[in-house]
Amino acid sequence: TSSSEMSLFDLVEKGIKDEAKSKTIEMLKDTDENYILDEILIPALDVVGKKFEKGEIFLPQMIQSAEAVKASLTVIKENLISKNGDKKEDVSKGKIILATVEGDIHDIGKNIVKIMLENYGYEIIDLGRDVPVDKVVEKAVEENIKLVGLSALMTTTVKSMEETIKALKEKMPEVKIFVGGAVLTEDYASEIGADFYAKDAKSAVEIAKIIL
Ligand code: B1M
């Protein structure tokens, strides 16, 4: 099969970035972006992750698949902006800090959450990935933040998520924190002191509506 005939799923799995981007543009003409996210991009990365775990593929391939997803996400984001362009409110519904915790460089999930929250009118202060505990706390204090969202993808980095939550609550007892990422569960989230667990980007929006 030539890459132009491949499905978006296969393009992500094979890490073919430019074609993934053009395929997304084509699909968005008649396909909902949530379908593309939940039924294609995320499942394709799950397959990639499983193959990596089994040693069937290696880090460079996993990086290429991630790049293909990022290219596709750029298009999805632009599409949402142009769809909402005329009905966009100028006033922000409130500020939210987002960060992937220290030690963890996985930021695709956080970036999807960011796209969705921005789409609903929230102002996002994106601290990026591998963010030191102190940086999150400093920024939250400086901006007098009411809501912070943290992402962690690895069993090893849930520890720094817990530390970030502890440090934030010490400085700002009123701050609310929501957490997400494939390694977390509702129970685990409350065990490490988070106020809310967001299983996906839609739940993050629901949490923002409650708090802000
Ligand atoms: Co890595 N990686 N990776 N990786 N990677 C995982 C997480 C892994 C499960 C793969 C595996 O072995 N099966 C495994 C972790 C094992 C573990 O701890 N349990 C792993 C590993 C081991 C590693 C390295 C250590 C590999 C190495 O170097 N030997 C290394 C880590 C380096 C580091 O962080 N210090 C590494 C690197 C990478 C890449 C750079 C190649 C790339 C990341 C690129 C990037 O993000 N910029 C990558 C990728 C792509 C993956 C997999 C395949 C996909 C992750 C992903 O983006 N999923 C992943 C396997 C898997 O999860 N299937 C894997 C899609 C994303 C949309 O899902 O982030 O869960 P997710 O987000 C969801 C929800 O969880 C939720 O909403 C999102 C949308 O529904 N959510 C939130 C997430 N964050 C949220 C925050 C919220 C709210 C909701 O509020 C704040």
Side-chain angles (χ1 to χ4, degrees), residues 111-165:
N111 293 343
I112 293 176
V113 171
K114 179 183 176 182
I115 292 172
M116 288 301 163
L117 286 170
E118 282 180 343
N119 189 45
Y120 277 85
Y122 296 97
E123 186 185 334
I124 304 303
I125 301 174
D126 182 4
L127 298 181
R129 55 191 184 174
D130 188 12
V131 185
V133 175
D134 291 349
K135 191 169 169 194
V136 181
V137 177
E138 261 167 42
K139 199 69 187 171
V141 170
E142 190 185 310
E143 299 277 348
N144 194 20
I145 286 289
K146 291 194 182 64
L147 186 59
V148 176
L150 301 172
S151 182
L153 267 281
M154 296 191 292
T155 39
T156 46
T157 51
V158 175
K159 190 85 202 126
S160 41
M161 182 176 257
E162 186 173 14
E163 281 164 20
T164 311
I165 295 171

Side-chain angles (χ1 to χ4, degrees), residues 53-66:
E53 214 177 319
K54 287 195 235 154
E56 290 168 13
I57 60 162
F58 300 96
L59 199 56
Q61 283 114 307
M62 191 151 77
I63 293 174
Q64 279 182 336
S65 291

Side-chain angles (χ1 to χ4, degrees), residues 23-60:
K23 191 75 185 180
T24 308
I25 296 173
E26 190 190 313
M27 286 188 78
L28 279 169
K29 288 177 192 152
D30 57 11
T31 317
D32 182 64
E33 57 273 344
N34 287 309
Y35 178 86
I36 298 180
L37 279 170
D38 297 338
E39 309 296 331
I40 301 174
L41 299 180
I42 298 175
L45 280 178
D46 284 341
V47 169
V48 169
K50 291 215 172 73
K51 286 191 165 176
F52 174 77
E53 214 177 319
K54 287 195 235 154
E56 290 168 13
I57 60 162
F58 300 96
L59 199 56

